[in-house]
Amino acid sequence: MYVSENKPQVIVSTYNNFGHIHYLKLNLNIQKKIGNWHPTVSMGLSQPFLKTSFRDETIHHNKAQFYAVADQSFMLPKDYILSAYYYYCNGGAIGLFSIKPYQEFNLSLTKSLFHNRLDMSIAGNDLFHKMKYRENGYLTNIHFKQTEDYRLWNYSISIKYKFNNINKIPWGKCREQ
């Protein structure tokens, strides 16, 4: 973003490639089945290394971004599955922008019928309405702030029927066809 030379009251927003942005990225994913509990935990770190200029001052866009995900499923009696999903991000820097922390929590209950051919579920997504991206950037000579509220908060009911249940076909037979 920059102020137009011909019309100083106009701000131009365009894409501009930088020579390079270096990142150090680490990811860890752990899955384990413990009885009727199927936990998955993921964590990651993205450390950018970028310097730019804002009003003749050097700006370092190097705040690390950390995320953690807990995706849990519980196999309940009578073919019910309770699932909980939690995502947290501390914010950090993404390119020229610093992002404030955000999070999401989803919950669902699924019931399988007819030998797993029919699934019925009820779900709640972003139950605490915390999935908002709040961005802050210093670009050339412009201070840019923005909030992106996608309003992902919702409830849903779904019914899914599997016509060709792949689990019923032996592996060798599937490959021969």
Side-chain angles (χ1 to χ4, degrees):
M1 296 181 152
Y2 60 90
V3 175
S4 171
E5 291 179 15
N6 300 339
K7 298 181 181 177
Q9 70 275 18
V10 174
I11 296 173
V12 178
S13 176
T14 185
Y15 289 96
N16 185 11
N17 288 327
F18 290 94
H20 63 277
I21 299 176
H22 292 288
Y23 283 94
L24 172 63
K25 294 186 177 191
L26 304 168
N27 292 295
L28 174 67
N29 186 35
I30 301 168
Q31 291 180 294
K32 177 75 175 163
K33 182 179 176 185
I34 304 169
N36 291 335
W37 178 36
H38 300 181
T40 300
V41 176
S42 301
M43 290 182 278
L45 178 71
S46 177
Q47 173 65 61
F49 300 96
L50 175 65
K51 291 189 288 187
T52 61
S53 179
F54 176 74
R55 295 186 176 174
D56 297 325
E57 288 185 37
T58 300
I59 302 289
H60 294 270
H61 307 276
N62 60 1
K63 183 179 178 192
Q65 183 178 60
F66 170 78
Y67 76 88
V69 178
D71 193 0
Q72 317 291 309
S73 293
F74 302 91
M75 309 302 283
L76 303 175
K78 298 186 181 187
D79 294 325
Y80 281 95
I81 301 171
L82 177 64
S83 299
Y85 173 88
Y86 179 73
Y87 178 88
Y88 171 79
C89 180
N90 76 321
I94 299 175
L96 297 174
F97 294 94
S98 62
I99 308 293
K100 298 229 183 225
Y102 58 94
Q103 58 188 316
E104 179 181 18
F105 178 69
N106 304 332
L107 197 60
S108 69
L109 182 65
T110 303
K111 168 72 173 154
S112 292
L113 300 166
F114 307 120
H115 304 287
N116 292 326
R117 292 184 74 92
L118 178 70
D119 289 338
M120 298 185 305
S121 67
I122 184 168
N125 295 307
D126 194 17
L127 293 176
F128 303 118
H129 197 200
K130 297 290 185 182
M131 195 65 162
K132 294 180 185 178
Y133 298 105
R134 293 179 305 262
E135 304 167 279
N136 193 15
Y138 295 92
L139 314 160
T140 314
N141 60 352
I142 297 169
H143 181 195
F144 178 83
K145 287 181 117 174
Q146 175 173 296
T147 298
E148 298 176 27
D149 185 355
Y150 295 109
R151 300 191 185 271
L152 299 174
W153 181 80
N154 67 72
Y155 291 105
S156 65
I157 296 173
S158 68
I159 299 172
K160 178 172 61 173
Y161 185 79
K162 301 171 197 164
F163 288 99
N164 294 322
N165 194 347
I166 195 78
N167 294 334
K168 300 286 183 184
I169 302 172
W171 173 250
K173 298 268 186 195
C174 184
R175 291 183 60 183
E176 292 170 8
Q177 298 173 358

PDB file of all heavy atoms in Angstrom, residues 7 9 13 19 25 55 57 61 63-66 75 85 87 89 93 106 138 156:
ATOM      1  N   LYS A   7      -2.235  11.727  -6.911  1.00  0.00           N
ATOM      2  CA  LYS A   7      -3.368  12.118  -6.066  1.00  0.00           C
ATOM      3  C   LYS A   7      -3.079  11.681  -4.636  1.00  0.00           C
ATOM      4  O   LYS A   7      -3.327  10.547  -4.263  1.00  0.00           O
ATOM      5  CB  LYS A   7      -4.653  11.463  -6.566  1.00  0.00           C
ATOM      6  CG  LYS A   7      -5.045  11.885  -7.963  1.00  0.00           C
ATOM      7  CD  LYS A   7      -6.332  11.214  -8.385  1.00  0.00           C
ATOM      8  CE  LYS A   7      -6.721  11.626  -9.793  1.00  0.00           C
ATOM      9  NZ  LYS A   7      -7.924  10.921 -10.231  1.00  0.00           N
ATOM     10  N   GLN A   9      -4.579  11.980  -1.973  1.00  0.00           N
ATOM     11  CA  GLN A   9      -5.717  11.523  -1.192  1.00  0.00           C
ATOM     12  C   GLN A   9      -6.088  10.068  -1.535  1.00  0.00           C
ATOM     13  O   GLN A   9      -6.974   9.487  -0.914  1.00  0.00           O
ATOM     14  CB  GLN A   9      -6.935  12.443  -1.388  1.00  0.00           C
ATOM     15  CG  GLN A   9      -7.590  12.372  -2.750  1.00  0.00           C
ATOM     16  CD  GLN A   9      -6.939  13.261  -3.814  1.00  0.00           C
ATOM     17  OE1 GLN A   9      -5.805  13.707  -3.681  1.00  0.00           O
ATOM     18  NE2 GLN A   9      -7.669  13.509  -4.880  1.00  0.00           N
ATOM     19  N   SER A  13      -3.551  -0.033  -3.277  1.00  0.00           N
ATOM     20  CA  SER A  13      -3.290  -1.351  -2.688  1.00  0.00           C
ATOM     21  C   SER A  13      -2.975  -2.314  -3.818  1.00  0.00           C
ATOM     22  O   SER A  13      -3.775  -2.499  -4.736  1.00  0.00           O
ATOM     23  CB  SER A  13      -4.520  -1.832  -1.916  1.00  0.00           C
ATOM     24  OG  SER A  13      -4.305  -3.131  -1.436  1.00  0.00           O
ATOM     25  N   GLY A  19      12.235  -9.377  -1.900  1.00  0.00           N
ATOM     26  CA  GLY A  19      13.353 -10.203  -2.328  1.00  0.00           C
ATOM     27  C   GLY A  19      13.318 -11.580  -1.676  1.00  0.00           C
ATOM     28  O   GLY A  19      13.566 -12.595  -2.314  1.00  0.00           O
ATOM     29  N   LYS A  25      10.277 -23.155  10.492  1.00  0.00           N
ATOM     30  CA  LYS A  25       8.987 -23.771  10.812  1.00  0.00           C
ATOM     31  C   LYS A  25       9.198 -25.139  11.441  1.00  0.00           C
ATOM     32  O   LYS A  25      10.006 -25.931  10.961  1.00  0.00           O
ATOM     33  CB  LYS A  25       8.128 -23.912   9.556  1.00  0.00           C
ATOM     34  CG  LYS A  25       7.724 -22.569   8.973  1.00  0.00           C
ATOM     35  CD  LYS A  25       6.760 -22.723   7.827  1.00  0.00           C
ATOM     36  CE  LYS A  25       6.330 -21.352   7.339  1.00  0.00           C
ATOM     37  NZ  LYS A  25       5.215 -21.421   6.403  1.00  0.00           N
ATOM     38  N   ARG A  55       8.119   4.867   7.213  1.00  0.00           N
ATOM     39  CA  ARG A  55       8.495   6.260   7.483  1.00  0.00           C
ATOM     40  C   ARG A  55       9.970   6.384   7.861  1.00  0.00           C
ATOM     41  O   ARG A  55      10.329   6.964   8.886  1.00  0.00           O
ATOM     42  CB  ARG A  55       7.603   6.866   8.549  1.00  0.00           C
ATOM     43  CG  ARG A  55       6.159   6.972   8.113  1.00  0.00           C
ATOM     44  CD  ARG A  55       5.328   7.691   9.121  1.00  0.00           C
ATOM     45  NE  ARG A  55       3.970   7.851   8.614  1.00  0.00           N
ATOM     46  CZ  ARG A  55       2.989   8.346   9.311  1.00  0.00           C
ATOM     47  NH1 ARG A  55       3.194   8.750  10.545  1.00  0.00           N
ATOM     48  NH2 ARG A  55       1.803   8.451   8.788  1.00  0.00           N
ATOM     49  N   GLU A  57      11.910   4.257   9.131  1.00  0.00           N
ATOM     50  CA  GLU A  57      12.337   3.455  10.285  1.00  0.00           C
ATOM     51  C   GLU A  57      12.263   1.984   9.903  1.00  0.00           C
ATOM     52  O   GLU A  57      11.368   1.571   9.169  1.00  0.00           O
ATOM     53  CB  GLU A  57      11.437   3.706  11.496  1.00  0.00           C
ATOM     54  CG  GLU A  57      11.623   5.050  12.150  1.00  0.00           C
ATOM     55  CD  GLU A  57      10.770   5.167  13.414  1.00  0.00           C
ATOM     56  OE1 GLU A  57      10.625   4.164  14.135  1.00  0.00           O
ATOM     57  OE2 GLU A  57      10.252   6.258  13.654  1.00  0.00           O
ATOM     58  N   HIS A  61       9.411  -7.680  11.313  1.00  0.00           N
ATOM     59  CA  HIS A  61       8.194  -8.506  11.306  1.00  0.00           C
ATOM     60  C   HIS A  61       8.626  -9.921  11.688  1.00  0.00           C
ATOM     61  O   HIS A  61       8.631 -10.831  10.858  1.00  0.00           O
ATOM     62  CB  HIS A  61       7.546  -8.503   9.918  1.00  0.00           C
ATOM     63  CG  HIS A  61       7.297  -7.137   9.386  1.00  0.00           C
ATOM     64  ND1 HIS A  61       6.174  -6.408   9.721  1.00  0.00           N
ATOM     65  CD2 HIS A  61       8.025  -6.350   8.554  1.00  0.00           C
ATOM     66  CE1 HIS A  61       6.214  -5.247   9.100  1.00  0.00           C
ATOM     67  NE2 HIS A  61       7.323  -5.183   8.399  1.00  0.00           N
ATOM     68  N   LYS A  63       7.724 -11.631  14.883  1.00  0.00           N
ATOM     69  CA  LYS A  63       7.076 -12.260  16.036  1.00  0.00           C
ATOM     70  C   LYS A  63       6.654 -13.673  15.654  1.00  0.00           C
ATOM     71  O   LYS A  63       5.932 -13.878  14.669  1.00  0.00           O
ATOM     72  CB  LYS A  63       5.858 -11.455  16.492  1.00  0.00           C
ATOM     73  CG  LYS A  63       5.206 -12.052  17.725  1.00  0.00           C
ATOM     74  CD  LYS A  63       4.016 -11.248  18.196  1.00  0.00           C
ATOM     75  CE  LYS A  63       3.391 -11.946  19.410  1.00  0.00           C
ATOM     76  NZ  LYS A  63       2.095 -11.390  19.735  1.00  0.00           N
ATOM     77  N   ALA A  64       7.096 -14.662  16.415  1.00  0.00           N
ATOM     78  CA  ALA A  64       6.801 -16.066  16.123  1.00  0.00           C
ATOM     79  C   ALA A  64       5.307 -16.340  16.236  1.00  0.00           C
ATOM     80  O   ALA A  64       4.611 -15.766  17.073  1.00  0.00           O
ATOM     81  CB  ALA A  64       7.569 -16.973  17.077  1.00  0.00           C
ATOM     82  N   GLN A  65       4.841 -17.218  15.374  1.00  0.00           N
ATOM     83  CA  GLN A  65       3.442 -17.648  15.415  1.00  0.00           C
ATOM     84  C   GLN A  65       3.416 -19.090  15.915  1.00  0.00           C
ATOM     85  O   GLN A  65       4.049 -19.974  15.347  1.00  0.00           O
ATOM     86  CB  GLN A  65       2.809 -17.563  14.029  1.00  0.00           C
ATOM     87  CG  GLN A  65       1.346 -17.923  14.036  1.00  0.00           C
ATOM     88  CD  GLN A  65       0.720 -17.791  12.661  1.00  0.00           C
ATOM     89  OE1 GLN A  65       1.148 -18.457  11.719  1.00  0.00           O
ATOM     90  NE2 GLN A  65      -0.279 -16.947  12.555  1.00  0.00           N
ATOM     91  N   PHE A  66       2.662 -19.317  16.991  1.00  0.00           N
ATOM     92  CA  PHE A  66       2.516 -20.643  17.582  1.00  0.00           C
ATOM     93  C   PHE A  66       1.063 -21.070  17.474  1.00  0.00           C
ATOM     94  O   PHE A  66       0.157 -20.259  17.693  1.00  0.00           O
ATOM     95  CB  PHE A  66       2.933 -20.614  19.061  1.00  0.00           C
ATOM     96  CG  PHE A  66       2.589 -21.873  19.798  1.00  0.00           C
ATOM     97  CD1 PHE A  66       3.360 -23.010  19.654  1.00  0.00           C
ATOM     98  CD2 PHE A  66       1.478 -21.923  20.616  1.00  0.00           C
ATOM     99  CE1 PHE A  66       3.030 -24.180  20.314  1.00  0.00           C
ATOM    100  CE2 PHE A  66       1.134 -23.082  21.286  1.00  0.00           C
ATOM    101  CZ  PHE A  66       1.921 -24.214  21.135  1.00  0.00           C
ATOM    102  N   MET A  75     -15.463 -42.761  21.291  1.00  0.00           N
ATOM    103  CA  MET A  75     -16.400 -43.778  20.818  1.00  0.00           C
ATOM    104  C   MET A  75     -17.306 -44.134  21.995  1.00  0.00           C
ATOM    105  O   MET A  75     -16.852 -44.703  22.985  1.00  0.00           O
ATOM    106  CB  MET A  75     -15.655 -45.015  20.321  1.00  0.00           C
ATOM    107  CG  MET A  75     -14.557 -44.705  19.311  1.00  0.00           C
ATOM    108  SD  MET A  75     -15.127 -43.848  17.838  1.00  0.00           S
ATOM    109  CE  MET A  75     -15.864 -45.177  16.962  1.00  0.00           C
ATOM    110  N   TYR A  85     -13.054 -30.334  18.926  1.00  0.00           N
ATOM    111  CA  TYR A  85     -11.924 -29.770  18.190  1.00  0.00           C
ATOM    112  C   TYR A  85     -11.630 -28.386  18.760  1.00  0.00           C
ATOM    113  O   TYR A  85     -12.527 -27.548  18.873  1.00  0.00           O
ATOM    114  CB  TYR A  85     -12.292 -29.660  16.704  1.00  0.00           C
ATOM    115  CG  TYR A  85     -11.277 -28.936  15.862  1.00  0.00           C
ATOM    116  CD1 TYR A  85     -10.217 -29.615  15.273  1.00  0.00           C
ATOM    117  CD2 TYR A  85     -11.375 -27.561  15.634  1.00  0.00           C
ATOM    118  CE1 TYR A  85      -9.286 -28.959  14.492  1.00  0.00           C
ATOM    119  CE2 TYR A  85     -10.451 -26.892  14.857  1.00  0.00           C
ATOM    120  CZ  TYR A  85      -9.409 -27.593  14.290  1.00  0.00           C
ATOM    121  OH  TYR A  85      -8.487 -26.939  13.525  1.00  0.00           O
ATOM    122  N   TYR A  87      -8.720 -25.157  18.406  1.00  0.00           N
ATOM    123  CA  TYR A  87      -7.583 -24.571  17.704  1.00  0.00           C
ATOM    124  C   TYR A  87      -7.231 -23.252  18.388  1.00  0.00           C
ATOM    125  O   TYR A  87      -8.112 -22.432  18.642  1.00  0.00           O
ATOM    126  CB  TYR A  87      -7.942 -24.308  16.238  1.00  0.00           C
ATOM    127  CG  TYR A  87      -6.835 -23.654  15.452  1.00  0.00           C
ATOM    128  CD1 TYR A  87      -5.872 -24.425  14.825  1.00  0.00           C
ATOM    129  CD2 TYR A  87      -6.750 -22.276  15.344  1.00  0.00           C
ATOM    130  CE1 TYR A  87      -4.844 -23.831  14.106  1.00  0.00           C
ATOM    131  CE2 TYR A  87      -5.725 -21.674  14.635  1.00  0.00           C
ATOM    132  CZ  TYR A  87      -4.776 -22.459  14.018  1.00  0.00           C
ATOM    133  OH  TYR A  87      -3.758 -21.873  13.319  1.00  0.00           O
ATOM    134  N   CYS A  89      -4.221 -20.024  18.210  1.00  0.00           N
ATOM    135  CA  CYS A  89      -3.061 -19.394  17.583  1.00  0.00           C
ATOM    136  C   CYS A  89      -2.731 -18.136  18.375  1.00  0.00           C
ATOM    137  O   CYS A  89      -3.631 -17.344  18.676  1.00  0.00           O
ATOM    138  CB  CYS A  89      -3.354 -19.044  16.123  1.00  0.00           C
ATOM    139  SG  CYS A  89      -1.954 -18.250  15.294  1.00  0.00           S
ATOM    140  N   ALA A  93       3.437 -12.921  13.438  1.00  0.00           N
ATOM    141  CA  ALA A  93       3.605 -12.168  12.190  1.00  0.00           C
ATOM    142  C   ALA A  93       3.382 -13.073  10.993  1.00  0.00           C
ATOM    143  O   ALA A  93       3.859 -14.207  10.957  1.00  0.00           O
ATOM    144  CB  ALA A  93       5.006 -11.564  12.127  1.00  0.00           C
ATOM    145  N   ASN A 106     -15.075 -26.432  18.373  1.00  0.00           N
ATOM    146  CA  ASN A 106     -16.178 -27.113  17.698  1.00  0.00           C
ATOM    147  C   ASN A 106     -16.516 -28.386  18.466  1.00  0.00           C
ATOM    148  O   ASN A 106     -15.635 -29.037  19.036  1.00  0.00           O
ATOM    149  CB  ASN A 106     -15.797 -27.496  16.273  1.00  0.00           C
ATOM    150  CG  ASN A 106     -15.347 -26.321  15.440  1.00  0.00           C
ATOM    151  OD1 ASN A 106     -15.769 -25.199  15.679  1.00  0.00           O
ATOM    152  ND2 ASN A 106     -14.500 -26.563  14.474  1.00  0.00           N
ATOM    153  N   TYR A 138       2.261  -2.090   9.015  1.00  0.00           N
ATOM    154  CA  TYR A 138       2.898  -0.820   8.691  1.00  0.00           C
ATOM    155  C   TYR A 138       3.535  -0.989   7.318  1.00  0.00           C
ATOM    156  O   TYR A 138       4.504  -1.721   7.163  1.00  0.00           O
ATOM    157  CB  TYR A 138       3.961  -0.460   9.740  1.00  0.00           C
ATOM    158  CG  TYR A 138       3.363  -0.210  11.099  1.00  0.00           C
ATOM    159  CD1 TYR A 138       3.246  -1.233  12.026  1.00  0.00           C
ATOM    160  CD2 TYR A 138       2.899   1.058  11.432  1.00  0.00           C
ATOM    161  CE1 TYR A 138       2.687  -1.003  13.275  1.00  0.00           C
ATOM    162  CE2 TYR A 138       2.336   1.298  12.667  1.00  0.00           C
ATOM    163  CZ  TYR A 138       2.234   0.272  13.582  1.00  0.00           C
ATOM    164  OH  TYR A 138       1.668   0.510  14.810  1.00  0.00           O
ATOM    165  N   SER A 156     -25.251 -27.218  12.960  1.00  0.00           N
ATOM    166  CA  SER A 156     -25.658 -27.925  11.752  1.00  0.00           C
ATOM    167  C   SER A 156     -26.138 -29.328  12.093  1.00  0.00           C
ATOM    168  O   SER A 156     -25.732 -29.918  13.095  1.00  0.00           O
ATOM    169  CB  SER A 156     -24.499 -27.999  10.750  1.00  0.00           C
ATOM    170  OG  SER A 156     -23.445 -28.789  11.276  1.00  0.00           O
TER     171      SER A 156
END
